[in-house]
Amino acid sequence: MQQPVVLIGEWLVSPAINQISRQGRQLTLEPRLIDLLVYFAHHPDEVLSRDELIDNVWTRNVVTSHVVTQSISELRKSLKDGDDSSPEYIVTVPKRGYKLTATVMWCTEEGKELTPLPLTVLPTPAPTESAATSQPTPSTTTPVPEKRRSVTTWWVWGLFLLALFSCVALVAMSTIDSHPPVTKTRLLLNPRDIDIRLANGNSCNNAASQRAYAVGLGSLITTSLNTYSTYMVHDKTNYNFNEPSSSGKTLTIEFVNQRHYRAQQCFMSVQLVDNADGSTMLDKRYFVTSDNQLSIQKDLMSSLSEALTQPWPEKMQAMLRQYQPSKSQSLADFYQAHQLLMNGDIDSLSKASVLLEDVISDSPDFIYAQAEKALVDVLRRSQQPLDEKQLAALDAEINHVTAIPDIKQTAVFFQIKTINMLSLGKVDDAFEAVNAGIEMEMSWMNYVLLGKVYEMKGENRLAADAYITAFNLRPGENTLYWIENSVFQTSVTRVVPYLDNFLAAK
């Protein structure tokens, strides 16, 4: 099957592989930039407005003029390829749009051969004025002299061969090696970034509850440090890809079986490593039981403060106290329910609601568990229709929880309000609530909800930014499910294609 390529100035553009090449150098561009360049090539030396580009390049996507301007800027930068003296391929026509000024030659590619598209018949040059005055115009068509016909034929063939040679030469230079050059990824570490990972070590007994406890600790560390410290933490406990990271530090949690006093016992290993020099900043091992999970959490947070030389501010300590029920088992059960909440599907939410009901019954003083249950039940309503009796019970639960003084100044209060307002179609109230929640807590869940609000406002570009921020804070299947299904369904391909392409590359 023939693959069309186009020669734009010095660049050979191969849309099928999203590449441009010249003089043996290959650049891979984003598919949208290739589509934009090809559309310009279809309209050389024509002024194209932003609206026309949006309609034909960003089809079925809601974008703003800023997106077009940014894409044009990136395309110009790629075509210059670091050469400031290189001519501008795309010029701005004030108050009208953009124009491709470079020469364009379309070719078809079949295997390794290139054939220019058929040339149009060139018009016969008009006779000179002297010839017109010296010879009368005959009433019938005068036969073209054999010599002139021969010269014209050679001229057309010369142009044809020149074009063919140019296309073949460019493709030959760009395809000397059929495989694109392999380059090593170079990442500059950011010392203030921390990755939290959950290693798949030797599984102990009660693997499900142990994993939920580790994921809960990771979530608590991520949210609290992102909100109240100078560190940026990425919770990768749900992210199974081993890829280079720019984070300067890695906190790894792993459950291992070890012989202890002549018996096999399960330990939770927590290590903080400085990736700049490989040194270990924190190395703790905890023997986890149903009675000491609360004390382990307190000790781990205190040890982190010392390792990072980062005293926890009073507001952060107040937040941590919300996760300290009177019974240690209640904390373990709460983290199991929290992991079900992060799963996001209706079955997990139903199980989380039941589990939180038991937590509240065992630890009535655990006020945050009451708020978490209200959040779970509000989300359930967005995925499963409720009858009048169930709706009345849910409204009563929301009113009860939101009236608790200690809850009103927490992010979960505004998360409940945001989802409730979205369910009622009150977008402005939801926008106000979610921004208030973000001021109190920098969490992936808040940014997912911000994306949902922006979608309801019709601002898909801002929604995409919010979703990518959420995925950056906690990458993985859970966050993706929330983006796609929480509150209402979202098309990742349409709203945030970058994330769709990023996941496809995995």
Side-chain angles (χ1 to χ4, degrees):
M1 180 178 178
Q2 291 186 338
Q3 296 292 331
V5 294
V6 58
L7 184 62
I8 302 178
E10 298 179 344
W11 289 100
L12 181 70
V13 183
S14 303
I17 55 175
N18 296 324
Q19 282 188 350
I20 63 174
S21 55
R22 70 172 179 182
Q23 300 176 358
R25 175 166 171 76
Q26 296 175 334
L27 298 179
T28 300
L29 305 184
E30 294 181 11
R32 188 68 68 192
L33 295 183
I34 289 290
D35 293 343
L36 181 60
L37 183 56
V38 169
Y39 189 76
F40 271 114
H42 281 294
H43 303 82
D45 210 35
E46 292 184 24
V47 179
L48 304 177
S49 66
R50 289 188 179 91
D51 290 339
E52 183 177 353
L53 294 174
I54 290 174
D55 291 341
N56 292 279
V57 180
W58 283 268
T59 54
R60 298 184 300 278
N61 284 307
V62 180
V63 298
T64 62
S65 297
H66 173 74
V67 176
V68 179
T69 304
Q70 183 66 25
S71 298
I72 294 289
S73 176
E74 293 177 9
L75 192 54
R76 285 171 171 166
K77 184 177 179 180
S78 298
L79 292 172
K80 277 185 173 294
D81 194 23
D83 184 5
D84 294 335
S85 62
S86 177
E88 287 286 356
Y89 279 66
I90 302 173
V91 299
T92 301
V93 180
K95 298 183 179 181
R96 293 188 60 194
Y98 304 95
K99 180 173 67 172
L100 178 67
T101 58
T103 57
V104 175
M105 181 181 298
W106 284 91
C107 308
T108 57
E109 183 177 10
E110 186 172 6
K112 294 185 178 180
E113 298 181 358
L114 276 181
T115 304
L117 293 180
L119 296 172
T120 56
V121 178
L122 296 175
T124 304
T128 60
E129 184 179 354
S130 59
T133 56
S134 62
Q135 298 180 1
T137 303
S139 58
T140 59
T141 303
T142 304
V144 180
E146 188 66 28
K147 184 176 180 180
R148 180 181 299 178
R149 181 181 300 168
S150 176
V151 172
T152 304
T153 302
W154 280 107
W155 183 50
V156 173
W157 273 103
L159 288 177
F160 174 81
L161 292 174
L162 179 61
L164 178 60
F165 175 78
S166 300
C167 288
V168 171
L170 283 170
V171 170
M173 287 188 293
S174 64
T175 58
I176 292 174
D177 184 359
S178 59
H179 300 283
V182 178
T183 57
K184 293 183 178 180
T185 303
R186 300 177 62 189
L187 295 174
L188 185 63
L189 293 179
N190 188 338
R192 310 303 293 183
D193 277 19
I194 303 174
D195 284 346
I196 299 182
R197 295 187 178 275
L198 179 58
N200 294 322
N202 298 324
S203 180
C204 307
N205 296 328
N206 302 320
S209 61
Q210 291 164 358
R211 180 176 179 82
Y213 180 59
V215 170
L217 288 176
S219 177
L220 178 63
I221 295 170
T222 301
T223 301
S224 57
L225 265 66
N226 282 341
T227 304
Y228 298 107
S229 79
T230 58
Y231 285 91
M232 172 61 69
V233 185
H234 310 274
D235 182 359
K236 295 186 176 181
T237 56
N238 186 233
Y239 194 64
N240 299 320
F241 295 103
N242 186 16
E243 60 186 10
S245 172
S246 62
S247 294
K249 298 172 178 61
T250 301
L251 180 71
T252 303
I253 304 175
E254 182 179 11
F255 286 92
V256 294
N257 271 314
Q258 273 194 344
R259 183 171 294 278
H260 185 67
Y261 294 111
R262 298 182 180 181
Q264 286 291 115
Q265 291 185 334
C266 182
F267 289 86
M268 184 178 73
S269 168
V270 182
Q271 271 196 342
L272 178 65
V273 175
D274 191 328
N275 297 327
D277 60 3
S279 61
T280 300
M281 303 174 62
L282 173 68
D283 190 359
K284 305 282 288 188
R285 293 207 170 188
Y286 300 101
F287 176 52
V288 183
T289 68
S290 59
D291 299 327
N292 69 349
Q293 295 187 24
L294 181 57
S295 61
I296 289 175
Q297 177 176 286
K298 292 179 180 179
D299 180 78
L300 177 57
M301 295 304 299
S302 175
S303 299
L304 271 177
S305 176
E306 294 179 7
L308 297 172
T309 61
Q310 180 88 50
W312 303 146
E314 178 56 37
K315 287 186 177 181
M316 179 173 169
Q317 296 182 37
M319 174 188 177
L320 294 176
R321 285 194 290 270
Q322 295 175 351
Y323 292 84
Q324 297 176 3
S326 56
K327 297 182 179 180
S328 183
Q329 183 59 45
S330 295
L331 180 65
D333 293 340
F334 172 81
Y335 279 146
Q336 287 192 53
H338 188 69
Q339 185 175 27
L340 292 168
L341 168 63
M342 290 191 290
N343 290 346
D345 61 280
I346 187 62
D347 290 338
S348 295
L349 293 176
S350 298
K351 293 176 182 177
S353 181
V354 173
L355 194 55
L356 287 169
E357 187 71 39
D358 294 338
V359 171
I360 295 169
S361 177
D362 292 339
S363 299
D365 61 317
F366 196 3
I367 297 176
Y368 197 83
Q370 299 181 36
E372 183 106 341
K373 183 179 183 300
L375 176 63
V376 168
D377 292 338
V378 169
L379 277 168
R380 289 172 63 199
R381 179 176 67 177
S382 68
Q383 298 189 30
Q384 179 177 290
L386 303 180
D387 56 32
E388 292 184 2
K389 183 178 180 180
Q390 292 172 323
L391 283 173
L394 177 60
D395 290 338
E397 179 184 16
I398 294 174
N399 292 333
H400 168 70
V401 169
T402 54
I404 300 175
D406 292 340
I407 294 297
K408 284 186 176 181
Q409 298 303 316
T410 62
V412 68
F413 170 84
F414 292 102
Q415 289 167 356
I416 295 170
K417 187 174 181 180
T418 300
I419 298 171
N420 195 36
M421 292 298 102
L422 285 175
S423 300
L424 298 175
K426 299 180 178 180
V427 181
D428 291 338
D429 291 339
F431 183 70
E432 181 180 352
V434 73
N435 279 285
I438 289 175
E439 288 182 4
M440 293 185 172
E441 179 181 282
M442 185 178 180
S443 67
W444 66 273
M445 189 180 298
N446 275 339
Y447 278 96
V448 170
L449 295 178
L450 179 63
K452 295 293 180 179
V453 173
Y454 275 131
E455 273 200 81
M456 291 289 286
K457 291 169 69 70
E459 299 179 14
N460 281 12
R461 181 180 64 83
L462 296 176
D465 289 347
Y467 290 144
I468 291 175
T469 302
F471 198 85
N472 187 38
L473 292 174
R474 190 173 193 269
E477 295 178 357
N478 293 162
T479 304
L480 179 62
Y481 187 90
W482 265 70
I483 293 172
E484 291 181 321
N485 299 286
S486 66
V487 187
F488 56 83
Q489 290 190 335
T490 293
S491 171
V492 173
T493 303
R494 181 179 62 84
V495 178
V496 52
Y498 171 82
L499 185 57
D500 190 45
N501 295 334
F502 174 81
L503 294 173
K506 299 299 180 183

